[in-house]
Amino acid sequence: MTATIPNLPSLYEPFSTEAKWQKFWEDNQVYKADPNHQGEPYCIVIPPPNVTGSLHMGHAFESALIDTLVRYHRMKGRNTLWLPGTDHASIAVQTILEKQLKAEGKTRDDLGREKFLERAWQWKAESGGTIVNQLRRLGVSVDWTRERFTLDEGLSKAVLEAFIRLYDEELIYRGNYLVNWCPASGSAVSDLEVEPKEVNGNLWHFRYPLSDGSGFVEVATTRPETMLGDTAVAVNPNDERYKHLIGKTLTLPIMNREIPIIGDELVDPAFGTGCVKVTPAHDPNDFEMGKRHDLPFINIMNKDGTLNENAGEFQGQDRFVARKNVISRLEADGVLVKIEDYKHTVPYSDRGKVPVEPLLSTQWFVKIRPLADKTLEFLDNQNSPDFVPQRWTKVYRDWLVNLRDWCISRQLWWGHQIPAWYAISETGGQITDSTPYFVARTETEAWEKAKSQFGENVQLEQDPDVLDTWFSSGLWPFSTLGWPEQTPDLATYYPNATLVTGFDIIFFWVARMTMMAGHFTGQMPFKTVYIHGLVRDENNKKMSKSANNGIDPLLLIAKYGTDALRYTLIKEVAGAGQDIRLEYDRKKDESTSVEASRNFANKLWNAARFVMMNLDGQTPAQLGKPEPTELSDKWIISRYHQVVKQTTNYIDNYGLGEAAKGLYEFIWGDFCDWYIELVKSRLQKDADPGSLKVAQQILAYILEGILKLLHPLMPHITEEIWQTLTQQPAENPQILALQPYPDADEKLIDPTLEEQFELLINTIRTIRNLRAEADIKPGVKITANLQSESEKERFILNAGQSYIQDLAKVETLTITNKALIDEPKKPSILNKSAFKGLKAIGLIIVGLVFFRVGIIVGNAILRLPLFGTFFETVGLGYAGWFVVRNILNAEGRQKLFTSSSVPVDSQNISQPEATQTHESDNSIAGVVGTVQVVIPLKGVVDVEALRAKLEKSISKAEAEAASLSYRLSNPKFVDKAPADVVQGVRDALAEAEKQAEILRDRLQALP
């Protein structure tokens, strides 16, 4: 009975394959975690994307990195959980909804809070799942049964518990402090949500007259409208120019209000004039000075960015309109001194994209120092968490040291409403800064507290503000696992193993998670923080909406497939934490980087088809583990286990890019390009059955191993091939993702063999290159002669002789230790005469040395009685005879130096057994290390025809280069043509010049 041979389609079709497996994995809950499962727990919680978001390249990059780690550790036998979810994104969602209402001619107040929130949940149900569905297209191996949302019931319970505990511990308080106010969103934002931007602005100088009429002081400011709220002018107490003025008063222009001159060391005498205006209600530094000097706090601004009643005649004007009008008034009053251009940093709201206003406001705050100090203890005493790369540890630590109290209230409706109820009956039915309040888990609990203090008739109203989104996100690593309940998930998967995130949210999110976790769980929330870089565009610029240079990952997925995009993003990582660059043609919406990865997928697919067609319908399990017999078998087995070891080491140490590159080189190079080609002759029908069986075993063994190694990076194609290779049943098949990851067998790794086999590969590659240079037709068999003086090299060349002949199409192969080709006759300054002259000089030097030794010995002898006179007479006579015969006579000189030289006549060299090639004009030669490769061309190539062909091609390339060079020498073209066109001509010129150089080298190499 003939076995059924499983096969793959002739072409790999990624789109249907990827969709099929994504559906299968999710429908069958393949990645559902079980806290009772065997194995060391390994948990990663997804950095929750905003529910308003859509997949961008940063999401794709981060998800590919996480999924690679999760799949790898799952296959290593760990009890793995990747928990997905999204963030409710208070400001972003509210902005979307208010734009919709504005288009309808309404405001949120028209709807009321309850109806507004109903609309928000409806929007979330209809549109909020966009990014989740897009993440599914990446094939991420998350446990979708555990998907969380920061406003779901469980997380809301955790947020409430955290707030109550912090409040009871007096770590949350309500106070009137200066906050960063975003007029665009109508809410306070934290320090970490403020983005400093350098702008070209102005520095305005004003004169403030002394109240006693004795003169004035000059101040400088970048925000002149805030002078309406000035309550002092400050100077440095050590500034000799102004020490005598401290304690006097000034008359504030426009407002005609008397304000004091104070001394404060915060003032920089070198800034401006050394005198600074003090506006405690509108500047963080002035706020601190105001508290130190007990100054009045005058707020001149409404929360929408307009000026209020304290701004006098400018009331109701937008802050930037008021700025112009205040300047005009100061100029009219004659107190504007000058206006300077001034580059400075302005804080912008990260959400509202407008300059923030430091605004005095009553808000809720977290006392940050107790939380930060505890987190610093974990870092300093236990190096927890461990940052990869390590350099981010200092950045993280510096932020913990410098953090200020955290403003956690936001003037929004979408979010976790603050669990505080105000006794408005005590303050005229309004919530004021002095209204008594009660923090409670429920409204019923708040009523009980209020009634016990103010009686049955008390009226309560809940705080309308919501908590900062980062408050709930800070609880994410443990709230998603069931905290504050002691759930099996929390007991098993907490602390998380790894956090994978970008460096840009270390301060937004990572520090808040570690502070919250340290306080509520007594542990850091994760063991390792793997910080990745950014995906930069084709010009190496950061992708951003403002620059409009983003690259849509879904477009690239549709063109090349998910696996190709994932693999590209990981392969491009040069080291942990490094940015990557993605090649992209915006005109064609094509990426050469991702296309190369798609080609890699096709290469693997075709190799797998070849292997399966030659296994006679048998699976790797049926064929059994191979026992390598031939050199190539032992080599590929050694290389495979070396790659297993290397890949495991890389991933364990977060070298994901290096792991991807190593697999690429092994799969494409060693396995596909070399081993499969080497083994083809053993798969023929007339091949030796024993050799055939071993070849099949090794092909199946290596292919299955490759699929397992590559699966974490390219899950879809590897799953598809593995299912066919192992002939899994249609119903209840085993899944590659759940198979054990390969282990390296050190006993099968032979570095010496790999090094020796590299010599064979390079020899074959050199012969192929020489064939190409000589334009030898692919089907023509040639003669090749190899020479090496190394016995070790000759041994390996002889052992691999059949491989060289098969893959390089060599009919006659000679391997010898003798010179195969005469030295080329090249001009040299060391010509024959010069060489003989140098030898003569050398001999003279040697002779002088011996002569000197002779003198020393002779002198010793001459001191003996009777010997001296005799030897002096004989020595003098012989010296005279030697000079006349061998130095003054030309024939004597020639005989002297000839007899003293090392013979170089080729007849004195023993001849090899094989025929040598003595005439370089009949051969083409190359070198592999110390192996000389010579291919005789006689009868194989028409050298003169090839020479003519190369000369013609050189002329064409040089003409093209000359034409392009002429265009670039024309100033009109270079100055007026578009930059990309000019660059295109430069690139074409470089290519033409390189092509001409290559052709000239080939021509010169011809005999």
Side-chain angles (χ1 to χ4, degrees), residues 846-890:
V846 172
L848 289 173
V849 171
F850 279 102
F851 184 66
R852 177 61 178 164
V853 172
I855 290 173
I856 294 172
V857 175
N859 285 337
I861 295 173
L862 290 175
R863 292 191 185 97
L864 297 174
L866 300 177
F867 279 93
T869 304
F870 173 76
F871 279 108
E872 283 178 356
T873 303
V874 173
L876 184 60
Y878 178 78
W881 173 83
F882 183 86
V883 169
V884 171
R885 178 180 175 85
N886 296 302
I887 303 297
L888 298 180
N889 182 276

Side-chain angles (χ1 to χ4, degrees), residues 203-219:
L203 192 63
W204 286 271
H205 292 250
F206 314 135
R207 287 179 180 148
Y208 284 15
L210 290 161
S211 299
D212 60 10
S214 61
F216 60 85
V217 297
E218 185 178 318
V219 300

Side-chain angles (χ1 to χ4, degrees), residues 90-92 94-95 98 108 180-189 193 303-304 319 349-356 410-413:
S90 292
I91 294 176
Q94 186 135 342
T95 300
E98 290 188 341
R108 60 171 166 164
N180 301 303
W181 187 263
C182 172
S185 60
S187 176
V189 294
E193 292 170 294
K303 292 183 176 180
D304 63 356
R319 53 182 170 159
S349 167
D350 185 61
R351 294 296 184 188
K353 308 303 180 186
V354 298
V356 298
R410 299 290 181 267
Q411 287 62 56
L412 305 167
W413 285 354

Side-chain angles (χ1 to χ4, degrees), residues 249-433:
T249 62
L250 301 163
T251 300
L252 183 65
I254 301 178
M255 306 306 291
N256 294 318
R257 183 169 65 240
E258 277 200 23
I259 57 175
I261 299 175
I262 61 174
D264 196 291
E265 291 187 352
L266 183 67
V267 177
D268 179 5
F271 175 76
T273 63
C275 299
V276 297
K277 54 190 287 304
V278 182
T279 319
H282 294 284
D283 183 272
N285 292 327
D286 294 1
F287 178 80
E288 298 299 329
M289 274 197 283
K291 288 195 295 183
R292 284 196 293 272
H293 296 275
D294 198 24
L295 298 174
F297 287 67
I298 301 175
N299 176 26
I300 64 165
M301 197 165 294
N302 296 314
K303 292 183 176 180
D304 63 356
T306 60
L307 272 56
N308 63 22
E309 66 278 4
N310 292 328
E313 66 188 80
F314 305 99
Q315 180 179 358
Q317 295 180 9
D318 177 80
R319 53 182 170 159
F320 297 117
V321 173
R323 174 175 296 178
K324 296 178 181 178
N325 292 335
V326 166
I327 293 167
S328 297
R329 172 66 188 276
L330 291 170
E331 186 176 21
D333 290 348
V335 295
L336 176 64
V337 178
K338 62 180 177 179
I339 304 173
E340 295 178 325
D341 291 334
Y342 187 65
K343 182 175 285 189
H344 62 121
T345 300
V346 174
Y348 273 70
S349 167
D350 185 61
R351 294 296 184 188
K353 308 303 180 186
V354 298
V356 298
E357 283 294 336
L359 188 68
L360 199 61
S361 177
T362 300
Q363 303 285 344
W364 291 88
F365 294 85
V366 172
K367 288 182 182 177
I368 213 68
R369 279 271 47 92
L371 304 183
D373 289 344
K374 188 170 185 177
T375 305
L376 282 167
E377 288 180 16
F378 278 101
L379 183 66
D380 294 340
N381 298 333
Q382 303 175 32
N383 191 35
S384 180
D386 182 22
F387 278 80
V388 178
Q390 189 64 36
R391 67 177 180 273
W392 289 107
T393 303
K394 183 180 184 305
V395 177
Y396 166 73
R397 191 183 193 285
D398 289 346
W399 271 84
L400 288 173
V401 168
N402 296 311
L403 283 173
R404 296 189 299 178
D405 283 1
W406 173 15
C407 175
I408 57 172
S409 47
R410 299 290 181 267
Q411 287 62 56
L412 305 167
W413 285 354
W414 173 247
H416 296 101
Q417 193 169 355
I418 292 174
W421 283 262
Y422 296 88
I424 57 175
S425 52
E426 307 306 305
T427 52
Q430 300 291 324
I431 298 177
T432 69
D433 291 351

